[in-house]
Every structure is written in structure tokens, then in C-alpha cells.
Amino acid sequence: MQVHFSKKRKLFRLDTEHISYLFRIGPSGELRHIWFGSRIDDDAIIEEFAVRRGTSSFSPHPEGLSPEDSLDLLPLEHSTYGAGDFRITASALRKENGTSVTSAVYRSHKIFKGKKKIPGLPSSFSQSKDSMTLEITMEDGFSGAEIILSYSVFADSDVIARSVRVSNPTETVIRVEKLLSAQLDFHSADFDVVYLKGMWAKERQAVRHPLIPGIQSFSSSRGATGHQYNPGIVFAEPSASEKAGDVYGMLLLYSGNYIAEAEVDQYRTLRALIGINPENFEWKLEPGETFYAPEALLFFSAEGLGGLSRISHRFLIDHVIRSPWVHRERPVLINNWEATYFNFDDKKILKIAEEASKLGIEMLVLDDGWFGERNDDRSSLGDWFVNRKKLGNLAALVRKINDLGMKFGLWFEPEMVSENSNLYRKHPDWVLCVPGGRRSIGRTQMVLDMSRRDVVDSLFRSISSVLHSANIEYMKWDMNRNLTEIHSRLLPPDRQKETAHRYVLGVYELHERLLKAFPNLLIESCSGGGGRFDAGMLHYAPQIWCSDNTDALERISIQLGTSLFYPSSSMGAHVSVCPNHQTHRTVPFSLRGHIALGGTFGYELDITRLTPDEKDLVRKQIRNYHHWNRIIREGEFHRLTEGFGRSDFAAWCWVSPDRREALAAAVRKTSEPCGINPPVHLRLRGLDPEMLYELDDHRRAHGRTLMNAGIRIPNAETDASSILIHLKAV
Ligand code: GLA
């Protein structure tokens, strides 16, 4: 890893083991992007990349410079609004005189060891000897604001972490209308774009298609990342596959309104941007203040989509997820939601725990309905005290569960309030709404104004008092509707557009405070399943409930789509009952186990009603989980089929860091008559070619054979057939 500045060439160079990132200072102080990709040398040759020809009077240039210096032509590090670059831009700062025209002119830079935290926001971390940061101060010549770009590189990963902040050293107010976290200008637009789309119960379905001229973007204005898209974007050369080809990625560490944009311009080059969604956003910067935009990670792999995913997984585990649980085997849990919904009492919960403990399950998670007077979803959110009528004394119940050898976890939905709740009756002004205006209700609940300190303080007090009251080792943090009528009663009119971002800062602050008070608390994040599955949330919660859709066949494309950026150890996955509650489909119990094994693993069904055969399978699945979780948690993940699990046959594998062990899973969704499914030779990846491996049936083969020829997968005789293959070096 190194960061270097050549005074002679005015050129910045960042290198990690396999990648280089270069840019230089241009004649008007602009930063011209030169290269991002595989490692290269010879600055002099590639310096020319920062020059583009093809000028016209319609691309004006800075006075005193040549037409080739038009900002409309150049590949830039940080483009600004209104000063000659007509493509999508990264920033717009409005001054007192009303203009939003902005420039970014190099003033100074510093290079230092380590990496700073971003105040109030999640950010990647490292030991100071393991990372280096380049900070460049640019000036907006129109307002005097400082735009500070930050680039960090890491000793152990091919990732560049970027962020940006704006400081106001002037005497007057400056308004940040737009400040995107990272810009990547490419010299060509010959890429497929890959991203994750979805909806509730069908999150993160990977899509891939060629870029076309014009702007393509996806975003959220829901106040959370949302089920619909995910804040990450990938550009893959058209021939790139899971295993080969140049692939670039951008991933935002943020859980609120974001945008990812790609513009193919008139010169058939590509500009990509990612950051806070500028729609209905603005931040008032008083003299002396600084605004921090969230961090974005830039990835590059020459080893295809699979290579990019592995870089992202490793980086999130090593540098983003800060929970002490990240490297620990998570307890096998049983969640009562699909078993009981709201219909439970302490006796029923204890019965589930007793049965579960006999089978080897290690933690009971009590889901929605334990608090206030909540017997359905129409009341009590915000009343975070135990419903004694239903549960008696919570501490006593938890003790009984602990006596069974099990841990105990509890569900909360901190950000919400029901109209029918003590909290709302006492503080009707605490919700987001436009005073005197119409308001929207979702699941009969309203959203608390998390931008308010008094709201965050009160939630901290009520939630920590429950967490102190019993031995609660896990918290499921849910969020079941999106934000509407985003207006905060405490903010003045000219700061209302700050509310959505301040909301997210409040959510992060509550996480910070709870984790400071309960450092070992295992938080599983959730938002109607995977409606807020992002790297920002993962900073605080090492796992996120992947989807409310627990159908094992549906989960394949959900989990493989999620794996574009996020590691298996971050995906909440449970075995649930059939017919499945979301799709009404019935699939074998063994398949449900194979799919849940690919996440944090647990059960979400009425365990007291399982047949003896199913109970035997539960015991076996839990044994497998203990045997294999280390590989799944810490190993390299390879998707063995193209298409992110959306085709009929899908397979994937994990390989242990020392390559001595691997676990592969393969699923065929539908069977065909007469065994006409072509025989599949499943070619594994990531093994050591020289090593001799033994399969569970004692057959032996070298890594080379297993990767080049593969293993024959039996024909499917029924729908939804699956197989797990375990290999160990001998
Ligand atoms: C959301 C979650 C579910 C469950 C319910 C409870 O939908 O995703 O897992 O916790 O809320 O209301």
C-alpha cells in the first residue's frame, strides 16, 4: 500500500497490492482522473489519459485556457455544478447571492498514516499502520468553501475508501445543495451495469444489462435504503463472468436517501456517482461549520464479479463491521414470529424454548408483541415496557430460558410509534409530520422524528432499561415503514431539507449509545426483512434479516443477489415451516436447511409441532452448522453459476482461508421428465490445485480435477432438490 505525490508531474498515485488509482492537478486546479484498475507503473505514459480531444464551442472552457481544458470533456475526480461540466455533477453549493455555481480548485493536500472517523457516520476503520489517507483541500472559487476529498488505502485489501466534506471558513452562510461521496470517471462506457433491485419479500435481485447513452440512476427517497434498490453499483466489462474480467464497484456506507447514477456522455465515456440523494436535500452551513458526506467504497477486480464480491466481503468483515460478534459463531436461534405471530404468552414461549434446547438450538428470540398492550400490529409501538399480562416477569422468563442453556434475544422497533400508545399520547409532536397537514399511516404506525435529541434520549432510556432488566444478549432492531411528510417540528423552515439526513444521524447515534452501554449486544438489523440492508447498518449490526420471504427457493436469488456485496455471515437466514407463509410452497426440510446454512442460521417455526423425522433433521442441521460455520463465516465465497441464483440450477461454495476445506451447495428448482436435465458437472472454485481433497463419500480428487472437470451432480427426481458437498484436504 502506498500513497505518493509527484511534485514534478503534479500527480497523485495510490497503490495497493493489485490496484492503482491515479489522478493529477490540471491547469485550472481541477483534479483529472487518470486511472483506476489493475496495478500499473510508468506514470509518464498514462499521464496522457487525462487529456481528451474533440472540442466545440458548446463545451466552454475556463478563460485563459485552451478548448481542450473544457471541464465538459475531462475525466474528473470531483465535478461541480454550473461551471462548464454539463454531465451529472458531484456538488453544488449555494451562496448568499443565490448562485449555486460551484468550482473545485486544488489548494493543498496531506498524506498521513491511518484513517479518520467520520463524525456521526459509520466509516471503515483500520490500525494506523495498516492504512494511509490522502486528503485534498479544494476551494470553491465562488464562495470560498473548502471541499475536502479523502482517499484511504489499506494494506490488506484492494479497496479505496472515499469521502468528502465541505467546510465553511467564510463569514456568510453556504448551503450544500448536493454533495455526492464518490465520483468515478471512466475512459469508456463499454460496460454492463449490475445492481440489485427488489421489493418487500423479494429483495436484492441482481440485474445486469449494457449501459446505454444518457443517464441511468436508481435511488431511495424513503428515508431508508429500501427494499427496491441497494446503495451499490457495479460496472463489468461485457465479457466479464463470475470468474474473469474487469469489474468495478461502488458501495455506500449509508442507510438513508441515496442515489447511484451513471451517465454515458456524448463522447461515450462513463461517469458514475454515488452519495446522498440530492432530491429534497440541503444543508445549511454556518460560518465555521463542516458537513460530512458518507463514505463510499471503490472496488476493482480483474477476477470477475466473484472477485469483486470477495473483495467486498473481506473488506466489510475486516474494516466495516465493528461488532465483537463479527468473527464469532452466532448462536443458532429460534424466532417465534412465524410460529406464533402475536398469539403467545410466557408458557408458550417457554415450551418452544424447552423443545428447541433439546434439539441443540442456542437462543430464543422473542419477536414483536411482548410490550405495551400489543396483541396485533395496531398499538403500543413506543411503549417499551413488558406486557406483564402476557409474559409475567421478563427477568424470570429469561432466567428459565438461560437455565435451559439458551440465550435470550428481544425484538424492538425503536424508530416507530403507534397512535394507540402512551408515548404518542404524551408526545404527539414527536412524529414526523407537517403540522396541520395530511399524514400517511403505514401498518398503523408513525415514524418518530429521530433528528430530535429528546426523542433519541428517550429511546435510549426506555430501551436500555429493558436491556438492563434481564439477561438480554441479542436485539432485533426492526423498522417497518418508510418516511413520509418528512418535516421536523424543531427545525426552522430553512433547515427542513436536513431532516431526512438528521434522521439517519439520529438512528446511528442511538446505535452508538446502545453499543457503548452494551458492547457485547448482538444486534440483528431488520426492516420488514431486508429493507435496510446496507454497509452503514452493518457497521453497528453484524447481521441483517435478509428478507421476510423465508421460502428456500425464493431465498436463493435473494441471498445470491445480496452476496454481490455482502458476506454470508451478515445474512439472517432461517428454516421456516411449509407450506411457506409467503409463497405457500412446500419444499423439503433438507433444502430449507441448506439455504439457511448460507446465512446466520436459525429456525422460525413452531418447533413443538415438528415430526420426529424433522426433529432428527434439525439435530443434524445444527451439527452441520457447527462443523461448517467457520468456513461459511470466514471463508471465500464463490458463486459457481452465473445469474445470481435466478436460473433453474444454482450452486455456490465457500473455501476455508487455508484452502484445506470447502463446502459446496447446489440446488435444482424444477425437475424434468425422463431425467432429461443435462448432467451437471459442478466445477468448484477457489481450491488449491495441488491439494488432494476427500469428499464425504470418501472419493478423492485433486483441486485441479475438482475445478476443471468438476463433480457429477445427480439428476433431480423431484422439484427443489439440493445437495451439499463437503471436501477436506487429506
Ligand atoms: C417485520 C420483520 C419480521 C417480524 C415482524 C414483526 O416484518 O421483518 O421478521 O419481526 O416485523 O412485526
Side-chain angles (χ1 to χ4, degrees), residues 242-489:
E242 280 291 347
K243 87 177 193 193
D246 283 3
V247 182
Y248 297 83
M250 301 170 95
L251 184 67
L252 194 66
L253 273 73
Y254 191 56
S255 313
N257 294 341
Y258 70 91
I259 190 163
E261 301 181 276
E263 178 171 1
V264 177
D265 72 357
Q266 56 184 336
Y267 299 107
R268 297 192 286 275
T269 66
L270 165 65
R271 166 167 295 169
L273 285 163
I274 197 161
I276 291 183
N277 188 349
E279 191 192 342
N280 208 38
F281 165 83
E282 187 175 279
W283 197 273
K284 181 178 178 187
L285 263 191
E286 297 281 0
E289 286 184 348
T290 299
F291 176 77
Y292 295 85
E295 182 169 309
L297 305 175
L298 305 187
F299 306 121
F300 170 78
S301 171
E303 291 174 14
L305 291 160
L308 179 120
S309 296
R310 284 186 291 282
I311 291 171
S312 178
H313 298 171
R314 200 65 260 159
F315 188 82
L316 293 178
I317 289 175
D318 292 341
H319 297 284
V320 173
I321 305 174
R322 67 181 218 202
S323 167
W325 282 95
V326 66
H327 292 293
R328 286 191 210 153
E329 189 172 303
R330 320 286 157 79
V332 176
L333 67 79
I334 181 145
N335 178 304
N336 72 305
W337 179 242
E338 288 198 9
T340 65
Y341 295 104
F342 292 103
N343 188 14
F344 62 84
D345 58 16
D346 52 341
K347 286 176 209 65
K348 174 79 190 169
I349 294 301
L350 204 56
K351 221 165 137 205
I352 292 178
E354 277 163 4
E355 197 56 46
S357 76
K358 284 189 213 149
L359 302 179
I361 293 174
E362 299 158 319
M363 177 161 74
L364 181 124
V365 175
L366 182 54
D367 210 278
D368 194 355
W370 59 268
F371 51 91
E373 309 227 336
R374 187 148 163 110
N375 295 313
D376 56 39
D377 63 10
R378 285 174 298 180
S379 84
S380 302
L381 290 172
D383 293 346
W384 302 116
F385 50 83
V386 178
N387 183 339
R388 286 176 160 264
K389 269 189 251 150
K390 239 172 162 173
L391 287 176
N393 179 314
L394 181 67
L397 174 64
V398 175
R399 258 195 311 276
K400 285 183 196 151
I401 290 171
N402 287 166
D403 287 346
L404 294 168
M406 292 174 84
K407 296 179 187 300
F408 179 81
L410 201 56
W411 181 95
F412 289 87
E413 196 177 352
E415 299 148 72
M416 300 292 155
V417 65
S418 310
E419 185 160 15
N420 181 9
S421 68
N422 293 347
L423 187 73
Y424 185 72
R425 280 183 285 270
K426 202 162 160 207
H427 297 288
D429 54 329
W430 277 10
V431 299
L432 289 174
C433 74
V434 182
R438 197 191 76 115
R439 71 173 190 217
S440 312
I441 295 286
R443 210 192 185 199
T444 69
Q445 62 197 54
M446 289 169 286
V447 185
L448 287 171
D449 180 356
M450 296 295 288
S451 75
R452 292 173 64 132
R453 175 148 289 273
D454 49 0
V455 169
V456 173
D457 284 347
S458 149
L459 287 171
F460 176 69
R461 276 195 306 273
S462 58
I463 294 171
S464 32
S465 121
V466 178
L467 294 178
H468 275 302
S469 73
N471 185 22
I472 300 167
E473 297 178 72
Y474 160 112
M475 169 183 183
K476 180 170 169 188
W477 181 316
D478 210 338
M479 195 254 191
N480 278 316
R481 63 160 285 187
N482 288 138
L483 280 52
T484 53
E485 293 88 33
I486 302 179
H487 178 98
S488 172
R489 289 180 198 241

Side-chain angles (χ1 to χ4, degrees), residues 563-636:
S563 77
L564 176 61
F565 297 114
Y566 307 103
S568 303
S569 64
S570 68
M571 297 182 208
H574 301 163
V575 173
S576 67
V577 76
C578 278
N580 178 270
H581 288 192
Q582 292 76 37
T583 61
H584 314 291
R585 183 185 280 136
T586 295
V587 298
F589 204 90
S590 55
L591 168 73
R592 289 178 256 162
H594 293 166
I595 300 300
L597 199 64
T600 56
F601 198 69
Y603 292 84
E604 186 155 343
L605 40 68
D606 189 347
I607 201 108
T608 61
R609 298 168 108 169
L610 293 188
T611 65
D613 283 354
E614 286 171 336
K615 286 185 183 167
D616 281 347
L617 268 170
V618 171
R619 286 195 193 89
K620 188 173 156 212
Q621 287 169 344
I622 293 176
R623 269 199 309 277
N624 284 345
Y625 169 77
H626 291 309
H627 279 142
W628 298 332
N629 182 254
R630 201 183 63 82
I631 317 180
I632 294 166
R633 211 176 59 241
E634 305 286 348
E636 276 190 351

